[in-house]
Amino acid sequence: MSITLNSPLDMHLHLRDGEMLSTVAPLSAKTFSGAIVMPNLVPPVDTKEALLAYKERIGLAIGDETFKPYMTLFFKPTYTKEFLESVRDELTAIKLYPAGITTNSEGGVAGFDVKELRPTLTAMSELNIPLCVHGETNGFVMDREAEFVSIYEMLATNFPKLKIIMEHITTKESVEALDRFENLYATITLHHLLITLDDVAGGMLQPHLFCKPIAKRPEDREALRKVAFEAHPKVMFGSDSAPHPQHAKESSGCAAGVFTAPIAIQVLTELFVEHSTIENLQAFLSGNAQSIYSNISVPNKRIILEKEPYIVPTKYGEVVPLYAGESINYTIKEIES
Ligand code: DOR
Ligand code: ZN
């Protein structure tokens, strides 16, 4: 029996730049209709010129695939309303990183002083620009996300008209926060639906599963699975597919990121089928994101999958994907756009 998915969206994706962009962008562009493209390049995408130039490089990298890059800017508390108005039509969201919390985030926000953030966040609310947030403090690694919930609460209550997206949530505390504040939403990755910390560090260390936020406890994964499998209207798929060259992963000082883009749709299909919730995958993978990001235009694309083993390539360029060399149970048979 085949399974059809319409216009899949990846609402959190790292496409990088240069040669890496040429390697990874076509893989997402082939199977997804669009993706929120993260701005953590070196230097970060924080001007209109940089955003437009990056969008053009993405366009060149994807060739004639039907795919929309939804562009983001790297949050700075110095953005003025005039500046945001001038760039409004070119971007879909703004991504906030706490300073130094993950790959290329050194220029992020240090301290969360509402007075300092107010002008930019007020302007974003007025212009209806969603705020995507990497929600971790610099506390103990397993507690960082749960500790950040109080900052989400501060943001959600001070800026009630601002759409705030808790990116790549990994804890039951974040799932609980979703229903407490009308303006909080979340993305969930494939890898956080699959693994716990045990898979990363419980046996031999698995660098290709090391990411930020780090995978948590079984009860956290359960909470994520519950809202993903029921396609809770405030959650959407965001892969956080984050490619790094093999040497940067298999090294002392391993870079954070799991590369899932080329197999995400197939493995999500398997997971939802396994949990008897395949009827909800369409909403999790596209419908919810279209409602939450109310003004994105989404190209039509139809993905047809069949239950048939597929051996995942061991590498794409220099990047080792999730399940490298292993067999997964669903194969994409047809893509129509
Ligand atoms: O694992 C991660 N990798 N988490 C992030 O937040 C950033 C990403 C990256 O850009 O490598
Ligand atoms: Zn990310």
Side-chain angles (χ1 to χ4, degrees):
M1 199 192 67
S2 69
I3 289 169
T4 301
L5 294 165
N6 291 309
S7 302
L9 294 172
D10 182 347
M11 303 311 278
H12 184 133
L13 177 64
H14 296 272
L15 287 178
R16 313 299 193 207
D17 214 342
E19 214 174 298
M20 183 65 93
L21 172 65
S22 315
T23 303
V24 302
L27 300 168
S28 287
K30 191 168 159 206
T31 53
F32 286 91
S33 278
I36 293 272
V37 179
M38 289 296 147
N40 60 333
L41 305 183
V42 185
V45 180
D46 60 3
T47 64
K48 185 173 179 177
E49 293 68 37
L51 184 143
L52 292 175
Y54 188 33
K55 190 175 184 179
E56 197 175 320
R57 295 197 297 280
I58 294 169
L60 291 174
I62 62 179
D64 41 0
E65 296 287 359
T66 306
F67 177 82
K68 279 233 165 185
Y70 304 120
M71 303 305 292
T72 63
L73 273 181
F74 190 98
F75 180 89
K76 287 205 178 147
T78 47
Y79 290 150
T80 62
K81 185 161 187 200
E82 293 66 43
F83 167 70
L84 293 175
E85 267 166 350
S86 77
V87 75
R88 175 71 195 99
D89 292 343
E90 310 297 342
L91 59 69
T92 303
I94 295 181
K95 174 72 184 286
L96 186 156
Y97 290 91
I101 203 66
T102 188
T103 312
N104 306 333
S105 63
E106 291 70 22
V109 171
F112 279 80
D113 177 2
V114 75
K115 261 227 241 56
E116 191 196 351
L117 302 176
R118 188 172 295 281
T120 302
L121 294 180
T122 303
M124 286 173 63
S125 305
E126 289 168 3
L127 296 168
N128 197 22
I129 301 173
L131 177 74
C132 301
V133 183
H134 183 119
E136 290 193 283
T137 66
N138 49 19
F140 179 65
V141 69
M142 286 294 278
D143 297 335
R144 287 175 189 176
E145 187 177 299
E147 286 174 4
F148 200 88
V149 169
S150 63
I151 297 175
Y152 280 128
E153 291 179 1
M154 179 277 281
L155 293 171
T157 48
N158 275 279
F159 306 96
K161 294 249 149 58
L162 181 67
K163 277 187 180 164
I164 301 166
I165 296 138
M166 304 187 285
E167 294 296 335
H168 44 52
I169 58 170
T170 63
T171 62
K172 59 182 180 355
E173 286 81 2
S174 298
V175 170
E176 284 158 13
L178 269 180
D179 287 327
R180 283 209 308 277
F181 297 91
E182 206 182 316
N183 55 335
L184 280 188
Y185 304 86
T187 55
I188 299 180
T189 72
L190 169 63
H191 47 283
H192 291 119
L193 291 173
L194 294 170
I195 65 171
T196 68
L197 184 59
D198 246 7
D199 298 291
V200 187
M204 302 268 265
L205 189 66
Q206 301 298 321
H208 296 289
L209 300 181
F210 172 65
C211 63
K212 300 285 181 74
I214 195 135
K216 304 291 187 314
R217 297 181 165 77
E219 57 269 34
D220 294 304
R221 183 180 60 181
E222 248 354 275
L224 300 177
R225 286 183 166 190
K226 179 171 185 299
V227 285
F229 291 157
E230 73 187 21
H232 184 300
K234 295 178 90 182
V235 307
M236 54 197 156
F237 177 63
S239 70
D240 199 14
S241 178
H244 292 277
Q246 185 170 19
H247 67 80
K249 295 291 290 174
E250 297 175 10
S251 78
S252 103
C254 163
V258 183
F259 181 57
T260 54
I263 49 123
I265 293 176
Q266 301 89 313
V267 179
L268 277 172
T269 300
E270 180 170 349
L271 196 60
F272 275 64
V273 167
E274 220 173 71
H275 288 83
S276 311
T277 52
I278 189 65
E279 69 280 6
N280 294 335
L281 181 55
Q282 181 62 46
F284 179 64
L285 197 52
S286 186
N288 289 357
Q290 295 189 49
S291 310
I292 295 166
Y293 280 88
S294 42
N295 45 12
I296 52 172
S297 81
V298 180
N300 286 326
K301 196 174 267 191
R302 185 191 291 265
I303 308 292
I304 299 164
L305 301 108
E306 258 168 47
K307 187 158 190 225
E308 189 181 299
Y310 173 75
I311 309 286
V312 179
T314 50
K315 274 207 205 180
Y316 293 87
E318 285 303 298
V319 191
V320 177
L322 181 67
Y323 295 142
E326 292 179 40
S327 178
I328 57 175
N329 286 323
Y330 278 83
T331 302
I332 295 180
K333 301 298 281 188
E334 235 180 286
I335 302 172
E336 293 165 14
S337 57

